[in-house]
Amino acid sequence: MKENIDPKMHTAEHILNQAMVRMFKTNRCFSAHIEKKKSKCDYRFDRFLEAEEILELEKKVNEIISANLPVMFEMLPVAEARKLFNSRTPEGEADVRIVKIGDYDAIPCIGAHVKSTKEVGKFKIISSDYNSGVLRIRYKL
Ligand SMILES: [Zn+2]
């Protein structure tokens, strides 16, 4: 993650990823473009999302934002983090920072985040499209 990333947009990415994992059994996005005005996340998936699924997804993300969950950090030894999150963790570091959003989401991350989810504002999906195994979701706040 780049350091100059917008904390609100980036925190929204965490929430969106967890919502995708829970609702559509995807992995977290494999690629993301996070910018202040609008952002996009790409997921490996097997179809496009119906309009009502987009609304459901948007509703879920806004629910988490409104719940004003605290964003917390925890340091974990690399080996433990790998086991728990089987995710890319930086090589050659003793500890990895885990970012937790209430008890909704937890993932190793070094990016900048808001302190609690309400700061993110209102989450709006601008569009989504599907192309050869990649579901792209564009959103703004
Ligand atoms: Zn992050």
Side-chain angles (χ1 to χ4, degrees):
M1 286 298 156
K2 281 179 278 171
E3 281 172 39
N4 60 355
I5 262 173
D6 183 69
K8 293 180 189 177
M9 272 294 191
H10 175 64
T11 306
E13 178 199 346
H14 279 241
I15 301 170
L16 174 63
N17 278 337
Q18 183 60 241
M20 285 297 291
V21 170
R22 292 186 187 212
M23 294 174 73
F24 301 107
K25 314 280 177 247
T26 64
N27 288 318
R28 304 178 79 93
C29 63
F30 65 89
S31 156
H33 264 83
I34 306 299
E35 282 164 35
K36 226 179 171 69
K37 278 191 149 178
K38 53 182 180 179
S39 298
K40 59 185 178 193
C41 291
D42 289 343
Y43 300 88
R44 305 249 180 247
F45 203 49
D46 55 3
R47 60 178 178 86
F48 67 91
L49 291 184
E50 305 283 352
E52 57 193 44
E53 290 177 313
I54 292 287
L55 287 179
E56 279 295 301
L57 180 60
E58 210 175 77
K59 201 175 128 195
K60 186 69 214 178
V61 172
N62 279 313
E63 228 174 82
I64 299 299
I65 292 172
S66 312
N68 205 20
L69 301 178
V71 179
M72 300 164 295
F73 307 112
E74 191 183 310
M75 298 304 289
L76 273 189
V78 164
E80 204 174 322
R82 288 215 175 104
K83 246 190 293 174
L84 279 174
F85 299 101
N86 75 61
S87 72
R88 55 227 152 102
T89 44
E91 290 293 332
E93 281 183 43
D95 290 306
V96 175
R97 190 178 77 160
I98 310 300
V99 176
K100 291 180 166 181
I101 300 182
D103 52 12
Y104 187 68
D105 185 44
I107 193 79
C109 185
I110 58 166
H113 309 83
V114 298
K115 290 191 176 64
S116 62
T117 57
K118 221 166 196 168
E119 292 173 46
V120 169
K122 191 156 172 57
F123 173 85
K124 173 86 191 146
I125 295 177
I126 304 166
S127 66
S128 85
D129 53 61
Y130 180 73
N131 221 314
S132 30
V134 177
L135 175 70
R136 171 165 291 176
I137 293 178
R138 295 184 190 82
Y139 65 92
K140 62 179 184 177
L141 299 175

